[in-house]
Amino acid sequence: QDNQNGPIDFPDAIRWWVAMDRCGENKFGAPEYLLGSHKNESVSNEAVFVTPESGDLPNYTRRTTYEPEPGDLIIWDSRTIHR
């Protein structure tokens, strides 16, 4: 289990996630990412949970959802907002 954002306090960190089960059936368990949000300037390094409506995050309107199969690996910039 991971948190939406942090705390992360160094700029070159990544996060990763390996699917143990099939994800996305009935819209359950599929990770969603706010594209470009790793460039935000309002989410602090201490933040753990944020909403897409907070700070400058409404500027990032594009989202993507992945439906990984067991064993699939997803890697993203640690500052990317996801749920």
Side-chain angles (χ1 to χ4, degrees), residues 19-48:
M20 302 300 287
D21 300 300
R22 188 173 188 175
C23 301
E25 292 182 26
N26 300 319
K27 304 292 182 191
F28 182 77
E32 179 182 47
Y33 299 87
L34 193 57
L35 298 178
S37 62
H38 64 287
K39 298 175 186 175
N40 83 79
E41 296 180 6
S42 62
V43 178
S44 77
N45 292 336
E46 300 300 318
V48 176

Side-chain angles (χ1 to χ4, degrees), residues 32-37 57-64 81:
E32 179 182 47
Y33 299 87
L34 193 57
L35 298 178
S37 62
L57 295 181
N59 297 332
Y60 303 97
T61 58
R62 294 177 47 222
R63 297 171 189 241
T64 190
I81 304 303

